[in-house]
Amino acid sequence: MKASKPAAKRHKPLNAGEKSPPAAGLRQRKQQETRERLKRAAMALFLERGFEATTIDDIAEAADMSRRSFFHYFASKEDVVAAWQEDAAAALVAEILARPAEESMLTAAENAIAAAMKRIDPTEAAAMSRLKRDNPALQARDQLKYEKLERALAEGLAQRSGRKSDRLRARLVAMIATGAMRVGGESWLSQGPRDKPEAFVKRTFDAIRTILA
């Protein structure tokens, strides 16, 4: 008599409320960690050696990975700087959304920018600004950064308000706040970063209120 084949093993269906293994979430987290490692390695080398003197091979070696792996995350060295700027913009929008509801839009923008600045090393910020100032390709990206930042701030302020009627006000405040960051940052650097960035933010917004009064 021919032995019957064992029945194919069937996967037990998930019970209601039971979650599937978070493989995708773990993979995404590892990719983010790798991206951050590359970004940190690149920024450290840029500040130490200069943007032009740093090669993609240098970045990959400092991050302990291959050149090919670098291109899985970034298309160029300029993209690393852009990613650093975009992450800073995302952190700023998160600060905007976390501000108390009773604050005006302008005050919320000021306090969010000041809070974000507290997490930045002034020496590193000054070095990064000089890096962008001395490189034409990064200067072009810097202009784009402020345009993206203004849109992100406007969206964050509008979302915080929750009223459609406030969208124009949100755009105007975002324009003012972004301009303040740009002009204030340039002034802060030209005088030498003696003051803490958040103190300079306060003086800049005080000047804005004087003009608007």
Side-chain angles (χ1 to χ4, degrees):
M1 182 177 176
K2 200 179 221 179
S4 60
K5 292 183 180 179
K9 188 175 180 180
R10 299 177 63 186
H11 294 289
K12 183 181 177 182
L14 295 175
N15 296 323
E18 192 176 10
K19 295 182 179 179
S20 59
L26 178 61
R27 183 167 57 253
Q28 186 177 10
R29 189 163 62 249
K30 286 185 175 181
Q31 288 175 344
Q32 181 63 25
E33 289 171 355
T34 303
R35 181 178 180 273
E36 285 298 313
R37 190 163 81 246
L38 273 168
K39 192 174 67 174
R40 286 194 301 269
M43 300 307 288
L45 288 172
F46 292 158
L47 296 177
E48 177 188 348
R49 304 178 184 179
F51 184 81
E52 296 295 346
T54 301
T55 67
I56 290 174
D57 287 331
D58 292 335
I59 297 169
E61 182 180 357
D64 194 26
M65 61 183 64
S66 68
R67 176 187 176 90
R68 182 178 179 182
S69 295
F70 174 92
F71 288 112
H72 281 308
Y73 296 91
F74 300 104
S76 66
K77 294 189 297 180
E78 289 83 1
D79 281 351
V80 180
V81 178
W84 183 82
Q85 294 170 335
E86 287 168 5
D87 289 346
L92 182 56
V93 172
E95 290 286 354
I96 286 279
L97 295 175
R99 297 309 307 169
E102 62 270 16
E103 288 184 351
S104 69
M105 283 191 183
L106 189 62
T107 299
E110 175 188 358
N111 290 335
I113 291 170
M117 289 296 183
K118 286 181 181 179
R119 295 195 296 270
I120 295 176
D121 181 345
T123 304
E124 181 178 309
M128 180 56 60
S129 294
R130 286 192 295 270
L131 190 73
K132 291 182 289 185
R133 181 191 63 196
D134 297 337
N135 186 280
L138 295 182
Q139 284 178 11
R141 290 290 187 105
D142 204 41
Q143 172 65 31
L144 183 60
K145 175 199 77 171
Y146 281 109
E147 293 174 4
K148 288 182 176 180
L149 179 60
E150 183 178 323
R151 289 196 296 270
L153 278 174
E155 185 60 34
L157 289 167
Q159 185 177 341
R160 177 177 173 271
S161 167
R163 294 189 295 269
K164 288 184 178 180
S165 58
D166 282 341
R167 294 195 72 84
L168 176 59
R169 181 180 297 181
R171 289 181 63 188
L172 290 171
V173 171
M175 180 183 68
I176 292 169
T178 304
M181 291 177 66
R182 187 167 197 164
V183 174
E186 290 172 357
S187 180
W188 177 67
L189 287 171
S190 67
Q191 296 178 18
R194 295 185 298 272
D195 294 339
K196 291 182 178 179
E198 60 268 26
F200 211 93
V201 169
K202 184 179 186 310
R203 287 207 300 277
T204 301
F205 274 83
D206 284 347
I208 290 171
R209 288 187 174 87
T210 301
I211 294 169
L212 296 177

